[in-house]
Amino acid sequence: MAGGVKRVLAAALESFVAEIFVAAGTPEADAATVAEVLVWANLRGIDSHGVLRVPGYVGRIASGEFNPRPDISVVADLPAATLIDADRAFGPVGMSRGMDIAIAKAREAGVGVCIVRRVTHMAAIGWFALRAVDAGMIGLAFGSSRPNMAYHGARARGVATSPIAIAVPGKRAPVLLDMSTSESSMGRIMLARDSGTPLQPGWALAEDGTPTTDADEARMLTPLGGAKGAGLALMFECLTGVLVGHPLIATAIGPDAETRHSQNGFALAIDIASFAEPERYRRDIAALAGALKSLPVAEGHDAIRLPGERGERTMAERLEAGVPLPAGTWRRLAEIADGFGIAMPPVVEG
């Protein structure tokens, strides 16, 4: 296979990843959730948030930054909103719980919110927004973390690459916007290292704040749209960590900076049936999509696409052909698997 890339069927890859996390001390149900979210990211083409994260997750379990057996507790419970403390749970575990609570609240109040305090890396955040769509609702999720992105006008880390996802049900498939507030993501930097490819100009800065296209030199990311991406990331911190007494940015800047990994998440669900007839809503979304697709195509583009369409197409292709894993990702997974005595998943031939 070209460039040392190996392809693995999604089901086999998901079982393999779950087995690793169980071996690292995670309960089977939680290990299955984390594996599902990571492999889903690969299937959608979001390889930066897929199984290449497994070695880092295992390392953070060993260091105590990730808690594989958390005691997730309710801190505050209101008619339409809940605050939970995730006790450093895996991001997919804590945020799944948060979105499920938001969905339950929305069934009663029309809109439900859950803030998830003290969670860890959330992987591809679009998965949680789609969880609401599966319940017949609109879903929104965003998060904040310790700084890994330069603030606009600064040449040092000032905010996090805080992602946001919004998903609405459509007639055929959901419309899913899943984006970061940075030009790229740390996962794409990791993927470039694993693949041995250069970064695109404008994605990253070296430790001294100078631009770099060398993935090995990249230490921080740049905000999407300059002040716009930096401002969004700042406000996500205000709406999560600062609001619930777990600030992450201010405590990570300065000589006494706190460096231990931590995140906060925000999950929101809107019950469509509380505001409109659900089938009519889907038809109207389909009409909106049709109107946009009827526009003349600009030069340099082959089609007009809605958010999430490329991911749907990539998922269909990878479900059939397998998930491609670069040589560097395969090697690091093999090192982890060998340490636990776990066999690597079979490779798709041809």
Side-chain angles (χ1 to χ4, degrees):
M1 297 182 185
V5 172
K6 292 179 169 56
R7 287 187 177 270
V8 179
L9 291 178
L13 186 58
E14 197 170 309
S15 295
F16 165 74
V17 171
E19 189 176 0
I20 285 180
F21 288 127
V22 168
T26 308
E28 288 187 5
D30 288 352
T33 296
V34 179
E36 181 181 352
V37 175
L38 292 178
V39 174
W40 177 86
N42 285 115
L43 285 171
R44 300 277 302 191
I46 316 171
D47 297 312
S48 58
H49 289 65
V51 300
L52 68 75
R53 297 281 183 167
V54 171
Y57 281 16
V58 172
R60 281 174 165 167
I61 292 173
S63 71
E65 289 185 272
F66 283 19
N67 183 359
R69 294 181 176 272
D71 180 16
I72 299 176
S73 59
V74 174
V75 179
D77 192 26
L78 303 169
T82 299
L83 166 63
I84 64 174
D85 189 292
D87 191 27
R88 295 179 288 109
F90 280 106
V93 173
M95 281 297 288
S96 293
R97 180 80 62 89
M99 183 55 82
D100 286 348
I101 291 172
I103 290 168
K105 291 290 186 183
R107 292 197 197 285
E108 299 297 323
V111 176
V113 169
C114 184
I115 301 178
V116 185
R117 185 175 73 187
R118 287 206 312 147
V119 74
T120 58
H121 190 264
M122 299 175 198
I125 204 165
W127 192 87
F128 311 112
L130 285 178
R131 199 172 180 89
V133 170
D134 290 341
M137 300 188 183
I138 293 168
L140 179 150
F142 60 78
S144 185
S145 183
R146 300 202 187 280
N148 59 358
M149 179 170 77
Y151 191 71
H152 183 62
R155 57 184 178 87
R157 299 171 190 84
V159 287
T161 55
S162 301
I164 181 170
I166 304 172
V168 302
K171 193 68 176 173
R172 185 189 64 82
V175 180
L176 170 64
L177 175 68
D178 185 353
M179 56 172 275
S180 171
T181 52
S182 55
E183 287 287 352
S184 183
S185 68
M186 292 308 298
R188 293 177 80 175
I189 305 301
M190 294 165 63
L191 185 63
R193 291 170 186 159
D194 280 355
S195 306
T197 55
L199 305 177
Q200 290 190 24
W203 275 12
L205 304 178
E207 189 61 42
D208 63 0
T210 57
T212 183
T213 58
D214 186 335
D216 290 328
E217 291 184 357
R219 293 296 179 270
M220 69 192 90
L221 298 168
T222 55
L224 177 68
K228 296 178 181 179
L232 274 175
L234 174 64
M235 299 314 295
F236 289 167
E237 166 75 349
C238 296
L239 292 170
T240 56
V242 175
L243 179 62
V244 299
H246 188 232
L248 298 174
I249 290 178
T251 59
I253 297 174
D256 300 319
E258 170 60 56
T259 59
R260 192 184 200 201
H261 175 85
S262 190
Q263 295 192 8
N264 298 301
F266 186 101
L268 179 145
I270 301 174
D271 181 24
I272 296 169
S274 296
F275 301 92
E277 198 280 312
E279 185 56 33
R280 190 194 73 193
Y281 180 84
R282 288 179 171 83
R283 289 198 305 268
D284 288 347
I285 291 294
L288 172 61
L292 290 174
K293 285 178 172 293
S294 72
L295 297 171
V297 178
E299 186 176 350
H301 296 263
D302 62 351
I304 294 171
R305 296 183 176 86
L306 298 178
E309 275 192 16
R310 182 175 58 182
E312 289 283 339
R313 185 177 66 249
T314 301
M315 177 174 279
E317 294 169 353
R318 292 186 173 187
L319 280 171
E320 181 176 349
V323 174
L325 300 176
T329 300
W330 183 266
R331 175 182 52 78
R332 293 190 301 112
L333 288 173
E335 290 171 355
I336 293 292
D338 183 63
F340 289 121
I342 296 171
M344 293 295 284
V347 175
V348 177
E349 300 297 334

